[in-house]
Amino acid sequence: MLKAVILIGGPQKGTRFRPLSFEVPKPLFPVAGVPMIQHHIEACAQVPGMQEILLIGFYQPDEPLTRFLEAAQQEFNLPVRYLQEFAPLGTGGGLYHFRDQILAGGPEAFFVLNADVCSDFPLSAMLAAHRHQPHPFLLLGTTANRTQSLNYGCIVENPQTHEVLHYVEKPSTFVSDIINCGVYLFSPEALKPLRDVFQRNQKDGQLEDSSGLWRGAGTIRLEQDVFSALAGQGQIYVYLTDGIWSQIKSAGSALYASRLYLGQYQLTHPERLTKHSPGGPRIRGNVYIHPTAKVAPSAVLGPNVSIGEGVTVGEGVRLRESIVLHGATLQAAVSGSLLRCSS
């Protein structure tokens, strides 16, 4: 059996995503018509043997999150549970804190996915690679140019075996063009190094991180505390993908991710894409329109537009490269060159 863990973070993070995250929690922000983390859940649900999906984070389990979890369980016929951290525990602390829930039932392995990434999530291919050559840690990697790579975790691999020989999180100088995608497949024994970090933190007492903030023993950073420390020891390997991938850290990056997912819908969810029909708005390229939205026939939408729940798009409106959030009303100005928007 398999499990999946989606790390959704908490309200103290994601400041670059404001003000979009003020009204809706970032993990539920709509990207290409569905909540950001629904793309993750859909990918996990398609993996044969998947038994449970766990969300770990520091958000309060409010009504929108609870409603989303209930709908996801019904749609995918899988247990989808939220485990709330008692404090922000980093990318690895929640995994160790909730280790009993993750390992309950004896999973063969478990996926770990950061919520703020956009990907086609080649999980089945990662699983096949893991089963062919089992190791505690398998990281999904992709390539970036020299400048872009400085913004991510950089991986130096053995090109023959794909072992991670060196790992540096956001290096100050160029290290490698292979970057960490924030999607992993862990064996149960991967939790042992997390235990070692936790015990070391307890022994050392309170630790001061690079930002000058004090963090408790339960805070574990997968990237710095585990990957960097274990690289070159035969425990961490990388699976390279040439599929779609991006981070979602800001409003602009959400638009880019929406474009990628809308393009992916051509293969994965063609039913989500709106087609041009007589008497309907003019559709250019990939466009998603929520069934409850009202769009005037003279509107022109696309390419890469996502129209949310209850949206009204008035006569003469032109939209491209946009995400229109639920309940908004868009009307063309008299000149036809501007939009007025209210919600």
Side-chain angles (χ1 to χ4, degrees), residues 134-327:
H135 295 285
F137 301 90
L138 181 63
L139 282 55
L140 182 67
T142 191
T143 55
N145 64 42
R146 294 175 67 95
T147 302
Q148 290 174 335
S149 68
L150 303 180
N151 298 314
Y152 306 101
C154 291
I155 297 168
V156 178
E157 68 154 354
N158 180 322
Q160 281 73 46
T161 65
H162 303 296
E163 179 189 353
V164 176
L165 303 176
H166 189 51
Y167 183 93
V168 184
E169 184 68 17
K170 296 181 180 178
S172 56
T173 60
F174 176 75
V175 172
S176 169
D177 63 353
I178 300 175
I179 61 172
N180 176 10
C181 292
V183 178
Y184 316 119
L185 180 58
F186 291 173
S187 297
E189 56 264 32
L191 291 173
K192 294 178 183 177
L194 274 67
R195 178 197 61 195
D196 295 339
V197 174
F198 177 79
Q199 292 176 345
R200 185 170 64 249
N201 288 352
Q202 278 190 316
K203 182 179 179 180
D204 295 342
Q206 296 291 312
L207 303 176
E208 188 176 11
D209 65 17
S210 59
S211 64
L213 299 175
W214 293 91
R215 56 190 183 93
T219 302
I220 301 172
R221 304 164 300 174
L222 280 177
E223 302 80 8
Q224 294 94 330
D225 297 333
V226 179
F227 298 158
S228 293
L230 295 183
Q233 299 183 25
Q235 298 193 57
I236 309 178
Y237 285 72
V238 60
Y239 178 86
L240 289 176
T241 178
D242 58 1
I244 66 169
W245 183 84
S246 73
Q247 278 191 327
I248 308 177
K249 296 291 188 182
S250 63
S253 59
L255 286 172
Y256 180 66
S258 183
R259 181 196 309 169
L260 293 178
Y261 277 136
L262 288 170
Q264 193 76 4
Y265 284 171
Q266 296 280 359
L267 298 174
T268 60
H269 292 286
E271 74 281 358
R272 290 180 180 169
L273 295 176
T274 301
K275 306 298 182 184
H276 180 70
S277 59
R282 182 177 296 277
I283 304 298
R284 294 175 174 172
N286 297 321
V287 173
Y288 168 86
I289 302 177
H290 193 277
T292 62
K294 298 179 180 179
V295 183
S298 61
V300 180
L301 306 181
N304 305 315
V305 169
S306 173
I307 303 293
E309 180 179 358
V311 168
T312 299
V313 179
E315 297 287 350
V317 168
R318 306 290 192 267
L319 278 178
R320 58 177 297 159
E321 305 290 346
S322 303
I323 297 174
V324 183
L325 301 181
H326 66 278

Side-chain angles (χ1 to χ4, degrees), residues 10-31:
Q12 83 290 348
K13 298 289 186 179
T15 54
R16 283 181 286 174
F17 207 69
R18 295 174 182 170
L20 300 179
S21 56
F22 285 151
E23 185 174 347
V24 60
K26 182 180 175 181
L28 300 184
F29 184 84
V31 179

Side-chain angles (χ1 to χ4, degrees), residues 9-59:
Q12 83 290 348
K13 298 289 186 179
T15 54
R16 283 181 286 174
F17 207 69
R18 295 174 182 170
L20 300 179
S21 56
F22 285 151
E23 185 174 347
V24 60
K26 182 180 175 181
L28 300 184
F29 184 84
V31 179
V34 301
M36 187 185 301
I37 57 174
Q38 183 166 329
H39 298 285
H40 300 60
I41 294 174
E42 288 176 351
C44 293
Q46 292 173 6
V47 179
M50 184 63 63
Q51 293 296 311
E52 185 178 40
I53 300 173
L54 302 172
L55 276 60
I56 295 179
F58 191 53
Y59 287 97

Side-chain angles (χ1 to χ4, degrees), residues 75-91:
E75 180 174 354
F76 301 106
N77 195 28
L78 269 177
V80 182
R81 295 193 293 139
Y82 176 52
L83 304 176
Q84 184 186 6
E85 297 172 334
F86 63 90
L89 296 176
T91 51

